């Protein structure tokens, strides 16, 4: 069965009677006029659909708990939608903890991850009642135990492990291979468990956590990851007589950025994971553990598009034809960071004949700020609105104010209604944290 992450465009995308692209029943040209560009547009129906795809895919293993990896896109409105779909949250900073908290999320369904959580972040997590902390290394075990002791609490934890699995994705988004900055090496787990059982009595260990990478198109490696996690639970029980009953396989399922991408569906990975989990439960003789998943990209990427206005253009003699848009690497860092590829259409000319191959350049002062290399589009004019697909994940969340440019607004569309969920930054916002020391002021 197909799932929403396999779609290139938000599910509600169509060409309307005015001949423009529309999403969530909203004409994209009207949205660009009303809210300005660049503009992130997020389709609520697409988000809810992928959440349902995950829940349906895993319903034959009732002990599955879905978490949304906030790092893909963390806003209060998105948190409210994911919570409403019954998801918990994977968070990685005090900013993400605070956002989900303020969105009214049940904090017992939140898991705090990260390879260098600070004293203040761990303290906030404990004070706000975050449900699980996935401890990444020995330093953090000791620090967290101290903070828990000073709060007179026992904190529920998982151990993040490096399963030694290499997935075929960009090197920067692989995380499960042995030489990774994340998690305990398999050979270090016993020492960590011994410390928890004997010394760190303010920590209660519930299970193991791993994450092998992002934008993954392979399916069988999830089965291998399950086997490593279950085998470790059984081995630790045998050695330390502890019943750990939680495994977290992380996120990573890929999405379709371009026509040549063919990511697996939620149903395919669920089949692999559940089948292997059941086999391993038998093989290693353990009680069925609670299975946590924490997808980010596959939940939110497809739902998002970014609208840009075309401005200047340039034909390099005997070279490329460039069209520049009013955004770029500061609102979408992925092309310059990972050479990520995107697909786009002209929102006011979606059914025009394709006429030329052009390169879409960003407006930022770096030659590497190219949004899309070589895309075939219709004849273009200044003022056309370009709709870049699949920008819901790791775009706003990685956005910067490079060149002191304001970050774009974000609107949520659904049933022909559009609502601002992130306001466009103003020039005043940009300088709001600046301070000029008195001695520098012109008197
Ligand atoms: C620990 C952990 N969990 C979940 C995710 C989400 O991954 P993705 O957005 O690929 O689903 C990440 C992303 O890198 C991660 O590091």
């Amino acid at each position: 069965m197909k799932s929403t992450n396999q779609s290139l465009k938000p599910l509600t995308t169509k060409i309307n009677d005015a001949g423009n692209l529309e999403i969530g029943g909203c004409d994209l040209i009207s949205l660009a006029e009303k809210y300005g560009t660049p503009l992130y547009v997020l389709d609520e129906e697409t988000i809810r659909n992928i959440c349902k795809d995950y829940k349906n895919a895993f319903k034959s293993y009732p002990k599955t708990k879905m978490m949304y990896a906030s790092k893909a896109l963390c806003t209060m409105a998105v948190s409210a939608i994911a919570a409403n779909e019954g998801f918990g949250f994977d968070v990685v900073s005090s900013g993400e903890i605070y956002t989900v908290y303020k969105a009214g999320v049940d904090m017992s369904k939140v898991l705090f991850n990260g390879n260098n959580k600070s004293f203040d972040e761990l303290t906030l997590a404990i004070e706000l009642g975050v449900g699980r902390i996935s401890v990444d290394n020995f330093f953090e075990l000791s620090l967290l135990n101290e903070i828990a002791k000073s709060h007179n609490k026992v904190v529920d934890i998982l151990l993040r492990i490096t399963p030694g699995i290499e997935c075929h994705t960009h090197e920067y988004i692989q995380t499960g291979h042995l030489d990774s900055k994340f998690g305990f090496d398999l050979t270090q787990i016993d020492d960590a468990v011994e410390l928890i059982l004997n010394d760190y009595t303010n920590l209660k260990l519930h299970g193991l956590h791993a994450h092998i990478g992002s934008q993954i198109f392979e399916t069988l490696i999830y089965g291998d990851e399950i086997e490593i996690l279950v085998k470790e639970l059984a081995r630790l029980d045998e050695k330390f007589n502890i019943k750990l009953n939680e495994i977290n396989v992380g996120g990573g399922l890929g999405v379709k950025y371009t026509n040549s991408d063919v990511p697996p569906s939620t149903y395919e990975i669920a089949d692999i994971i559940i089948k292997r989990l059941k086999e391993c439960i038998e093989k290693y003789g353990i009680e069925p553990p609670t299975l946590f998943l924490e997808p980010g990209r596959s939940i939110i990427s497809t739902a998002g598009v970014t609208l840009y206005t075309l401005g200047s253009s340039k034909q390099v003699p005997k070279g490329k034809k460039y069209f520049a848009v009013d955004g770029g690497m500061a609102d979408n860092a992925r092309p310059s960071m990972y050479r990520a590829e995107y697909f786009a259409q002209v929102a006011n000319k979606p059914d025009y004949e394709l006429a030329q191959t052009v390169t879409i350049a960003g407006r930022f002062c770096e030659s590497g700020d190219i949004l899309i290399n070589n895309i075939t589009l219709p004849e273009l004019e200044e003022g056309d609105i370009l709709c870049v697909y699949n920008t819901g994940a790791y775009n706003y969340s990685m956005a910067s104010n490079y060149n002191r440019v304001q970050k774009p607004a974000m609107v949520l569309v659904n049933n022909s209604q559009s609502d601002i969920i992130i306001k466009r930054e103003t020039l005043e916002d940009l300088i709001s944290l600046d301070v000029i020391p008195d001695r520098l002021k012109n008197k």
Side-chain angles (χ1 to χ4, degrees), residues 96-165:
E96 289 188 2
I97 293 174
Y98 193 64
T99 305
V100 298
Y101 172 71
K102 289 301 245 185
V105 163
D106 171 357
M107 297 306 280
S108 70
K109 292 169 94 178
V110 176
L111 166 77
F112 187 18
N113 255 310
N115 70 316
N116 191 20
K117 307 174 190 80
S118 71
F119 177 90
D120 288 351
E121 287 177 315
L122 290 168
T123 303
L124 183 71
I126 291 176
E127 287 176 356
L128 294 184
V130 162
R132 293 280 181 280
I133 296 182
S134 182
V135 179
D136 196 273
N137 49 62
F138 290 107
F139 170 76
E140 187 186 333
L141 270 183
S142 152
L143 178 64
L144 183 61
N145 187 62
E146 280 312 304
I147 303 172
K149 200 188 289 173
S150 68
H151 282 72
N152 216 6
K153 284 198 172 156
V154 173
V155 172
D156 297 307
I157 65 165
L158 303 178
L159 287 182
R160 167 88 182 251
I161 65 159
T162 313
I165 293 174

Side-chain angles (χ1 to χ4, degrees), residues 21 34 179 198 226 237 245 274-275 344 352-353 425:
L21 283 175
K34 182 167 178 190
D179 187 18
N198 299 327
I226 288 284
D237 185 14
N245 53 10
I274 295 170
K275 186 164 171 278
Y352 282 32
E353 198 185 331
E425 283 180 350

